[in-house]
Amino acid sequence: MRSPATGGGAPSRTGLPAVPRSAVVMGVGGWLPPDVVTNDDLAARLDTSDAWIRTRTGIARRHVAGRGTAVSDLAVEAGRRALASAGGPAVDAVVLATMTPDHPVPATAPVVAARLGLDGVPAFDLAATCAGFVYGLASAAGLIAASVAERVLVIGAEVLTGIVDPRDRSLAVLFADGAGAVVLRAGHDEPGALGPVVLGSDGARDDLLYIPGGGSRARAGGLPAGTGGEFLRMRGREIFRNAVERMAESSRRALEAAGWKTGDVDRLVAHQANARILAALGDELEIPADRRPSTIEHTGNTASASIPLLLAETVADGRLRPGHRVLITAFGGGLAWGATTLVWPELPAGH
Ligand code: UT7
């Protein structure tokens, strides 16, 4: 079965055009801020070690935004690279997935659009934590299917170092900063077209990853200032277990909806949360290690940025090539998760 965004075409009963349109990837780009923090740098100020971090997470180093750098700065760089990779098309909508916006109000996407010279286009933020990029793909497919937009820039960008308590060793070693983006255009059943997108959420488990302060719940509850309520809290082991289960389940559903088997998958492009999660997911889906590209060793966990960063890096170094059948999946706090498929296309400007 095809989703409304990807297939079919029934005769119009209204006189309006009734041709469902696919959302087709036509460009990809990533941006990592230049400053790098190694495990040894962290071990110099926290009770941790390079060996613990590598063994438990697969991370060796990570990029961090310097002082004065906000998420819009990273998003603009990634957006610029994705637009260049797409051959510099006119884009008529911008979706920014982030859990670290420049400000609580207003949204950051309009600022990013304006700085990219896209003044006047619809632009909005999307809050789905580490699953934000997959939710962003689904939103872009919807905008295209509804003829709101012909071409959509979807960006995932995070400055997670700003919401992690630098004294919290379990989170400070894991989360980092970065941005990635894709450009999608209206198209048909062709390479680059997103397959059916599967999304899900479970708000009953919102306590597994959350920030207590800064929102209306904290204001209603009178959370006192200075109690650390501005920092991320995570129940790591439960998030770990849910991540593997939910990504595996949504991947299976997305594959089934696309008419693919796991053996058809050339590249598993999964949210880069932790190397052990990626290994467990790959084993669960029986996708061999050489089909599971990863950036986690040098990026850490960049939440909504991790999938487009992985796409951009693997296109650039040739690990992802035209014709590869790609399974994308992500999971994060919310809880929120999702998966989709595509055949990787030739990009107008290469990589
Ligand atoms: O991006 C989507 C959302 N996030 C994720 O998907 C992350 C999911 N969770 C994880 O990646 C892992 O749970 C962590 C990497 C966060 C933690 O790894 P873990 O294997 O689940 O460790 P743990 O939290 O169960 O802690 C094991 C031990 C504890 O010590 P005790 O109680 O056994 O004595 C921790 O205090 O490791 C200790 N520990 C550390 N030790 C050295 C926790 N962090 C560190 C550290 N260095 N940085």
Side-chain angles (χ1 to χ4, degrees), residues 198 244-254 281 285 337 339:
V198 170
V244 177
E245 278 177 22
R246 295 300 192 178
M247 285 196 285
E249 182 211 352
S250 53
S251 292
R252 287 199 184 97
R253 286 177 51 211
L281 174 67
L285 291 173
W337 59 86

Side-chain angles (χ1 to χ4, degrees), residues 296-316:
I296 188 102
E297 188 183 15
H298 70 95
T299 60
N301 182 335
T302 58
S304 67
S306 84
I307 287 175
L309 273 170
L310 177 59
L311 291 172
E313 183 174 309
T314 52
V315 166

Side-chain angles (χ1 to χ4, degrees), residues 1-3 5-6 22-23 141 192-198 254 257-258 339-343:
M1 204 182 89
R2 308 290 285 174
S3 76
T6 53
S22 293
L194 294 185
V197 185
V198 170
T340 191
T341 50
L342 78 159
V343 175

Side-chain angles (χ1 to χ4, degrees), residues 47-63:
D47 181 17
T48 189
S49 66
D50 178 52
W52 192 96
I53 301 169
R54 279 180 197 262
T55 314
R56 308 303 287 179
T57 72
I59 300 167
R61 58 193 179 281
R62 73 283 293 143
H63 290 253

